[in-house]
């Protein structure tokens, strides 16, 4: 075990890479949270050797392809192709003195990405990745990665794109995050996690029955979920160190457990005849009710301060979204349009709310500004779109959709950019939830 741990540490040291000397950074930036996104044209140059006459390792093209794959997740970047750029995507060298910025400027390119390789045999190499502003020729980011092999390609691409997005927007954690989901396996469902860009899938639970509605703690170290057995509902608890355990709670139902920022848990229990939301301490004891009374109260979601809780309730007749001030206990109704609004997820800053609404075309994902009340649709099917989950950066939204005839997980943004499928492998995948702290 110690040997395996040592090998893992060595691999991480390789993948983290080192920073290249940076020129003075430009003011180029994108406000991804504003009402409209500025879009930049980005050209990814063909990889070149660091020393003239050296061969390129076979993985040079693979890494370029993987970075191109990742650029799709940044809708504020428009990829430029060979025919879009005067003279194509070739450069003489990966450094500024080997790039004819003029022809990129004439093609209206804003950013130029380069990759320079020093081979280590046919299947490995050291790579230097850079991003330049085409107009000024200034270096925005430079990273070097040593002894890159095929198994490292996806990780290196993620790490470089995280740095690129951080330079442009101030946020880059998306590329290092995981998305948890509930996967159907015959009669059972279990919780898996996959990197947000669709690789490194890992299984988190291995249980008979249905494991679903998972929620990761704010520090990323633990996960709670609903487990439905043949005769009982239980609270499922998972963490890296101890694995999985099931906790029996009072009542006949355990629905949608959710972590608060302080590590306590909110969960729907049936203690009084109607499902209500209750606060549990870290030892899973009921502390007090949060939302109970007439009707069904489910699906709590909290902002990063823990002061705001949104939830679904039938107290007004049909299911609608409500908000609670957890300090005062004051509850206000949020949604009035439609007859079926469910599965709310609040942004970490407490300003936006995303949820599913039943429309004549099926369930769709909506976004609401909690300050102004303005709302708009951000998913468009076909089929049904359900279970939206705000990413901790407040920009990306994951959701489940049946648009292909089978439930899968998709990504969009707070602006409703075209949905991108998450690679969860074969079988149905539902109930997405984010884990940013790995």
């Amino acid at each position: 075990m110690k040997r395996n741990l040592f090998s893992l540490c060595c691999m991480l040291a390789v993948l983290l890479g080192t920073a290249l000397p940076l020129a003075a950074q430009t003011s180029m930036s994108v406000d991804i949270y504003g009402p409209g996104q500025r879009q930049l044209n980005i050209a990814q140059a063909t990889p070149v050797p660091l020393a003239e006459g050296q061969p390129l390792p076979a993985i040079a093209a693979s890494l370029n392809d993987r970075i191109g794959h990742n650029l799709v997740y940044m809708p504020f970047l428009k990829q430029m192709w060979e025919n879009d750029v005067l003279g194509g995507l070739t450069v003489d060298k990966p450094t500024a003195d080997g790039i004819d910025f003029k022809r990129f400027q004439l093609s209206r390119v804003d950013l130029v990405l380069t990759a320079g390789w020093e081979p280590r045999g046919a299947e490995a190499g050291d790579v230097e990745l850079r991003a330049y502003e085409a107009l000024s020729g200034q270096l925005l980011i430079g990273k070097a990665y040593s002894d890159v092999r095929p198994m490292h390609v996806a990780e290196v691409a993620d790490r470089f794109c995280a740095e690129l997005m951080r330079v442009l927007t101030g946020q880059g954690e998306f590329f290092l995050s995981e998305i948890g989901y509930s996967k159907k396996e015959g009669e059972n469902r279990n919780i898996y996690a996959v990197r947000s860009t669709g690789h490194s899938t890992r299984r988190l639970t291995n249980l008979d029955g249905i494991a679903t509605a998972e929620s990761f703690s704010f520090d990323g170290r633990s996960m709670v979920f609903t487990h439905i057995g043949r005769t009982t509902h239980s609270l499922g608890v998972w963490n890296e160190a101890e694995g999985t355990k099931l906790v029996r709670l009072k009542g006949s139902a355990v629905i949608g457990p959710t972590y608060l920022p302080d590590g306590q848990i909110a969960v729907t229990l049936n203690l009084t005849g109607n499902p209500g939301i209750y606060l549990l301490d870290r030892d899973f004891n009921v502390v007090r009710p949060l939302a109970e009374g007439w009707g069904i109260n489910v699906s709590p979601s909290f902002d990063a301060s823990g002061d705001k809780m949104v939830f679904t309730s039938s107290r007004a007749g049909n299911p609608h979204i409500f908000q609670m001030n957890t300090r005062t206990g004051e509850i206000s109704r949020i949604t009035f349009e439609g007859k079926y609004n469910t599965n709310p997820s609040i942004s970490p800053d407490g300003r936006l709310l995303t949820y599913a609404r039943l429309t004549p075309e099926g369930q769709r994902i909506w976004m609401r500004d909690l300050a102004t009340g303005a709302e708009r649709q951000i998913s468009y099917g076909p089929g049904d779109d359900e279970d939206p989950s705000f990413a901790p950066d407040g920009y990306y939204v994951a959701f489940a959709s049946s648009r292909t005839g089978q439930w899968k997980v998709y990504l969009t943004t707070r602006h409703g950019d075209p949905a991108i499928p998450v690679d969860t492998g074969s079988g149905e995948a539902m109930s997405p939830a984010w884990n940013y702290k790995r």
Side-chain angles (χ1 to χ4, degrees), residues 233 249-255 267-278 286 292-293 295-298:
H233 276 211
L249 299 174
K250 294 180 180 179
S252 59
V254 177
I255 303 172
V267 62
T268 293
L269 304 173
N270 189 356
L271 302 183
T272 63
N274 290 313
I277 300 172
Y278 295 85
V286 176
E292 61 176 0
I296 298 172
N297 301 281
V298 295

Side-chain angles (χ1 to χ4, degrees), residues 225-236:
F225 58 94
T226 293
H227 181 262
I228 304 173
R230 290 186 177 181
T231 59
T232 60
H233 276 211
S234 300
L235 174 69

